[in-house]
């Protein structure tokens, strides 16, 4: 807001000194008030939203629920390599979940975010299914990718929006709280998934894994997933996270244990 000129004061308020002084004081207060309003408006534009609405909570549950279902595998003895029956159950459940989310995506879509429905659903499902298809004798690899996607990516947004805090230097839209939640929660659950499957008593050949190998196969894929998820990209994060986690855990297993 520009301050009124001396000539404008004379025209609008008269020429006597008392009137001009009062007018200048009024004008200055109007300018200051406008600056405050402008500053407050600017702050509201850059402020990051706090909390989670109902849509975002449903979205988080969509991310996490497949990982919760995978936990049920612990209570059902199964062979390793997996049997054709369990193989078919994996495929059927994954396709069923993917179709359900695809056709009900509007309920979890963020505002103005309905165009990447196919990428989001296919990226999630295909990341896990491709590991099952490529490594049927090493189902722990698929479970690690699932854990990173479900618990890592799912908790990152949940914690990031609730806690907020300092932003990442390479992406101001992401926070350190979300990044660390991704690594800690996703890494812990991926480690647990990997450990439980490699210790499967029904396995034909028990994998002689050490604690260090288990931790590497759990946390390094989570770190890789957190890094690619936090970067700016036009590629859906489910695709990026699934690909990064799958490549990382596959390479670690190949270098330390070999692929069955």
């Amino acid at each position: 807001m520009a301050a009124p000129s001396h000539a404008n004061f004379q025209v609008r308020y008269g020429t006597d000194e008392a009137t001009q002084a009062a007018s200048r004081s009024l004008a200055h207060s109007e300018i200051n008030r406008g600056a405050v309003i402008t500053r407050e408006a600017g702050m509201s534009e850059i402020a990051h939203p706090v909390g989670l609405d109902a849509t975002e909570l449903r979205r988080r549950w969509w991310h996490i629920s497949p990982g919760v279902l995978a936990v049920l595998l612990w209570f059902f003895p199964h062979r390793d390599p997996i049997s054709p029956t369990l193989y078919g159950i994996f495929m059927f459940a994954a396709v069923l979940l993917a179709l359900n989310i695809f056709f009900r995506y509007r309920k979890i879509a963020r505002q103005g975010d309905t165009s990447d429905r196919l990428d989001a659903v296919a990226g999630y499902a295909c990341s896990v299914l491709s590991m099952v298809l490529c490594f049927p004798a090493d189902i722990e690899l698929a479970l690690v990718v699932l854990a990173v996607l479900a618990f890592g990516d799912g908790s990152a947004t949940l914690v990031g929006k609730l806690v907020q805090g300092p932003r990442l230097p390479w992406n101001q839209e992401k926070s350190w709280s979300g990044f660390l939640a991704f690594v800690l929660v996703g890494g812990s659950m991926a480690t647990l998934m990997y450990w439980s499957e490699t210790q499967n008593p029904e396995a034909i050949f028990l994998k002689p894994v050490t604690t260090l190998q288990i931790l590497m196969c759990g946390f390094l894929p989570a770190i890789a997933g957190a890094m690619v998820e936090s970067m700016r990209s036009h590629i859906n994060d489910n695709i990026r996270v699934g690909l990064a986690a799958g490549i990382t855990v596959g390479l670690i297993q190949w270098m330390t244990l070999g692929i069955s």
Side-chain angles (χ1 to χ4, degrees), residues 64 143 180 200 226 246 259:
I64 295 172
L143 294 180
L180 293 176
N200 179 12
I259 299 294

Side-chain angles (χ1 to χ4, degrees), residues 35-59:
V36 170
I37 293 172
T38 302
R39 185 166 58 252
E40 290 177 348
M43 290 176 63
S44 65
E45 288 176 0
I46 64 173
H48 298 283
V50 179
L52 297 165
D53 58 17
T55 299
E56 194 62 46
L57 286 173
R58 285 194 297 268
R59 193 180 182 92

Side-chain angles (χ1 to χ4, degrees), residues 176-216:
W176 277 110
S177 61
F179 183 88
L180 293 176
F182 193 123
V183 174
L184 294 176
V185 178
S188 298
M189 291 305 297
T191 299
L192 185 59
M193 293 277 190
Y194 187 88
W195 170 82
S196 67
E197 192 59 34
T198 55
Q199 303 305 307
N200 179 12
E202 299 292 326
I204 296 176
F205 300 105
L206 280 175
K207 297 179 173 65
V209 294
T210 65
T211 301
L212 178 59
Q213 289 170 331
I214 293 172
L215 291 172
M216 288 174 60

Side-chain angles (χ1 to χ4, degrees), residues 119-175:
D119 290 345
V121 176
Y124 197 124
C126 291
S127 295
V128 179
L129 287 180
S130 62
M131 299 300 288
V132 177
L133 289 169
C134 294
F135 309 105
D138 297 281
I139 196 66
E140 63 273 10
L141 302 182
L143 294 180
V144 166
V145 173
L146 176 59
V148 171
L149 277 166
F151 300 106
D153 198 5
S155 64
T157 303
L158 187 67
V159 175
K161 284 183 174 293
L162 289 176
V163 177
Q164 298 289 303
R167 319 307 289 181
L168 296 176
W170 60 88
N171 188 350
Q172 291 296 304
E173 295 180 359
K174 305 285 185 177
S175 65

